[in-house]
């Protein structure tokens, strides 16, 4: 079937519990994963916010807790929510482009495996019917969901965040590696983050301006 990037066609209905069990039992990429498969997702049909990142890092692989690292701490600051809200699956769904830790390359972690998104995303979205806002963290998530509507590069896509409202907000990865990017692009802190926190607070029914 020819599926448009970022679209979600009807799929054969399966129970959510069966789908989640299948995800956690997945070994499709086992031969390519240096530490073996350990899919890390946080999913619940009641969730209203979806975070789509890249792939689990080493610490997340070890603990099985999504965004359980320095990048996760920064992301929660950006969102203006604490760990209790962030890790409440009934409110926040977390689904990286690659569900398992891909290993390291010369410049850091390897890209997310390509098998995950076409294998799982349509099936997951069939159950996430209450999602109001999707955060697209990094160019892999933006390419999948935005397709031809993404800009020439990640910086331009993030800068044009208003073009993707109200469904999506594209973001740079909250890694310490991107500190220099943040310093070069001060508009992100002044323009994007206030809108991000406001939208997240609205979607999750939180007090506006609350700090984690």
């Amino acid at each position: 079937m020819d599926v448009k990037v970022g679209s979600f066609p009807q799929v054969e209905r399966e129970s959510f519990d069966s789908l989640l069990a299948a995800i956690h039992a997945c070994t499709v990429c086992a031969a390519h994963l240096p530490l073996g498969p350990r899919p890390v997702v946080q999913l619940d049909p009641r969730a209203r916010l979806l975070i789509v990142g890249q792939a689990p890092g080493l610490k997340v692989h070890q603990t099985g807790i999504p965004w359980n690292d320095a990048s996760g701490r920064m992301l929660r600051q950006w969102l203006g929510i604490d760990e209790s809200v962030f890790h409440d699956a009934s409110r926040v769904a977390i689904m990286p482009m690659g569900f398992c830790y891909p290993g390291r390359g010369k410049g850091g972690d390897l890209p997310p495996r390509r098998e995950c998104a076409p294998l799982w995303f349509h099936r997951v979205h069939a159950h996430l019917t209450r999602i109001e806002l999707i955060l697209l963290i990094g160019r892999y998530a933006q390419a999948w969901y935005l397709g031809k509507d993404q800009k020439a590069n990640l910086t331009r896509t993030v800068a044009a965040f208003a073009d993707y409202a109200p469904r999506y907000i594209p973001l740079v990865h909250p890694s310490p590696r991107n500190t220099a990017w943040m310093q070069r692009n001060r508009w992100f802190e002044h323009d994007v983050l206030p809108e991000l926190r406001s939208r997240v607070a609205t979607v999750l029914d939180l007090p506006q301006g609350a700090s984690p």
Side-chain angles (χ1 to χ4, degrees), residues 2 42 70 73 78 83-84 91 116 129 144 158 161-162 167 207:
D2 183 16
Q42 177 175 295
R73 288 193 294 273
W78 287 0
E83 288 194 52
S84 66
R91 306 172 85 177
C116 280
T129 58
W144 177 266
V158 174
F161 68 97
R167 183 65 170 171

Side-chain angles (χ1 to χ4, degrees), residues 53-69:
Q54 296 184 169
L58 178 59
K59 185 174 181 181
V60 173
H61 172 85
Q62 293 170 335
T63 63
I65 302 173
W67 293 94
N68 183 33
D69 51 20

Side-chain angles (χ1 to χ4, degrees), residues 26-39:
C26 182
T27 59
V28 168
C29 302
H32 306 286
L33 301 172
L35 299 185
R38 187 179 192 182

Side-chain angles (χ1 to χ4, degrees), residues 12-158:
E12 183 177 351
R13 197 69 176 172
E14 61 188 323
S15 76
F16 176 74
D17 289 343
S18 296
L19 173 61
L20 198 58
I23 289 173
H24 286 301
C26 182
T27 59
V28 168
C29 302
H32 306 286
L33 301 172
L35 299 185
R38 187 179 192 182
V40 180
V41 296
Q42 177 175 295
L43 301 171
D44 188 302
R46 295 170 292 176
R48 293 162 61 188
L49 172 66
L50 172 61
I51 300 173
V52 183
Q54 296 184 169
L58 178 59
K59 185 174 181 181
V60 173
H61 172 85
Q62 293 170 335
T63 63
I65 302 173
W67 293 94
N68 183 33
D69 51 20
S71 296
R73 288 193 294 273
M74 178 61 72
L75 178 59
R76 287 186 285 276
Q77 290 180 14
W78 287 0
L79 304 183
I81 60 178
D82 61 22
E83 288 194 52
S84 66
V85 174
F86 187 84
H87 289 299
D88 181 349
S90 69
R91 306 172 85 177
V92 179
I94 299 174
M95 182 172 68
M97 292 299 298
F99 292 175
C100 295
Y101 172 59
R104 287 187 62 82
K106 293 182 179 179
D109 287 352
L110 292 170
R113 296 294 310 173
R114 293 177 178 269
E115 293 86 347
C116 280
L119 179 61
W120 299 114
F121 275 29
H122 301 319
R123 295 163 67 181
V124 170
H125 273 278
H127 292 276
L128 298 185
T129 58
R130 298 189 65 194
I131 295 296
E132 298 178 22
L133 176 63
I134 302 177
L135 307 183
L136 305 175
I137 300 178
R139 63 187 180 92
Y140 298 104
Q142 290 160 20
W144 177 266
Y145 282 85
L146 302 180
K148 62 180 178 58
D149 292 328
Q150 64 182 327
K151 309 304 179 184
N153 56 46
L154 181 143
T155 297
R156 292 184 180 181
T157 299
V158 174

Side-chain angles (χ1 to χ4, degrees), residues 171-182:
L171 299 170
V172 67
H173 196 281
S175 166
R177 289 176 173 268
N178 283 328
T179 299
W181 185 94
M182 295 279 292

